[in-house]
Amino acid sequence: VDLPTMGMGVGEKEMGYLFGQYKRINVKSSSGGSPFLSFTDPTAPGVGVVHFANEMLQDKGDSLEGKRCLIIGAGKVARSVARKLIEFGAIPLTFSDSSGHVYEPDGIDDGKLNTISKIKDERGALLGRYIIASTTAQFNDPESILDIPCDLCFPCAAMNDITEEAANQLADNGCTGVIEGGYSTVTLGGRKILKKRGLLYGPHTLTMSGASIYNALGAGATEKQFIEEVARIHREAKTTAQEFNARGDLFAGANIQGFLRVANCMLNHGAV
């Protein structure tokens, strides 16, 4: 089952339109009961991205503590990624939108993040407005956001943002891993470069499952249960990759594991 979630260009209003159309064409749906999205945490996708990043680093004997993180995008997912990174002791450095990017050399703390959220949510303004509220922020300096030295990159914006050239640029500037916070933000060529140059890669098929995990666990789920589920999924993807001679390739592991789950379910139901 595909569970639609909020992301780039899709908020509660757009999800409401989708559900309204679903109700219109589906006689089984009902307008009664709980309000739409009342049990959905809009931060779930971003929170899941960071937990998967932490799981990947822990698997290598490392952690998010002190990591300088490049965030591409400034939507709800990007900002929830930043919020969770701060909780883990990491240092978000950037946000970006159609106006350009803002860079805080000393990092973005809770106060600065609240200011950015206010600009984006309440005023509906572009990110460039943030420089009025900050004395330390750099706007479009350097010219390319990928020229900013970082430890990890979290692309949370458009598809195909991280191309071969972008992947090389990140690696040249000291980046050690790219964790997708959006769907298909890394191209096929980009994935090959990341693998060739030894960077960690968290594919969206794995990292963007936060909302699905949240829905599966239910409204009463605890943070501990969420973390355990993330660890299980990461472990299964890693083990599957090893089993199919793709050691360390979480993209292959996640895709193969997903296929096997669906195939086995079909077999159990007699659909051969």
Side-chain angles (χ1 to χ4, degrees), residues 103-117:
Y103 168 41
E104 286 280 8
D106 295 326
I108 296 168
D109 57 22
D110 282 319
K112 293 173 181 176
L113 182 54
N114 289 339
T115 301
I116 291 171
S117 291

Side-chain angles (χ1 to χ4, degrees), residues 52-232:
F52 272 108
N54 189 58
E55 195 67 32
M56 291 167 63
L57 288 171
Q58 284 186 331
D59 190 50
K60 301 291 184 182
D62 203 350
S63 75
L64 282 169
E65 181 76 31
K67 293 290 187 294
R68 292 173 63 82
C69 302
L70 207 68
I71 299 177
I72 301 174
K76 290 182 183 294
V77 174
R79 282 176 277 135
S80 64
V81 164
R83 184 80 67 186
K84 202 65 184 177
L85 284 172
I86 293 170
E87 289 182 22
F88 272 98
I91 307 167
L93 299 173
T94 63
F95 284 111
S96 67
D97 65 10
S98 58
S99 68
H101 66 269
V102 292
Y103 168 41
E104 286 280 8
D106 295 326
I108 296 168
D109 57 22
D110 282 319
K112 293 173 181 176
L113 182 54
N114 289 339
T115 301
I116 291 171
S117 291
K118 187 174 182 179
I119 291 170
K120 298 297 291 184
D121 287 338
E122 296 180 19
R123 299 178 186 173
L126 292 174
L127 199 56
R129 291 286 298 275
Y130 173 68
I131 59 172
I132 300 173
S134 174
T135 58
T136 55
Q138 298 173 203
F139 183 62
N140 289 341
D141 179 22
E143 186 176 349
S144 171
I145 191 173
L146 301 177
D147 283 333
I148 298 170
C150 66
D151 298 307
L152 298 170
C153 176
F154 291 82
C156 304
M159 296 173 66
N160 302 324
D161 265 346
I162 307 300
T163 60
E164 292 180 53
E165 181 182 357
N168 274 317
Q169 203 170 348
L170 285 168
D172 291 341
N173 285 298
C175 183
T176 59
V178 175
I179 294 88
E180 288 188 299
Y183 294 100
S184 300
T185 56
V186 181
T187 65
L188 173 60
R191 290 200 301 270
K192 290 180 178 179
I193 293 298
L194 294 178
K195 186 174 182 179
K196 180 180 179 181
R197 301 198 60 171
L199 275 70
L200 286 176
Y201 172 50
H204 72 269
T205 45
L206 197 68
T207 62
M208 292 298 289
S209 59
S212 297
I213 295 172
Y214 188 89
N215 277 283
L217 293 176
T222 64
E223 181 83 355
K224 182 182 178 182
Q225 288 175 308
F226 191 91
I227 293 171
E228 288 174 349
E229 193 65 9
V230 166
R232 179 192 66 78

Side-chain angles (χ1 to χ4, degrees), residues 240-254:
T240 302
Q242 291 175 340
E243 183 182 348
F244 286 84
N245 298 319
R247 185 182 180 89
D249 190 340
L250 292 177
F251 180 77

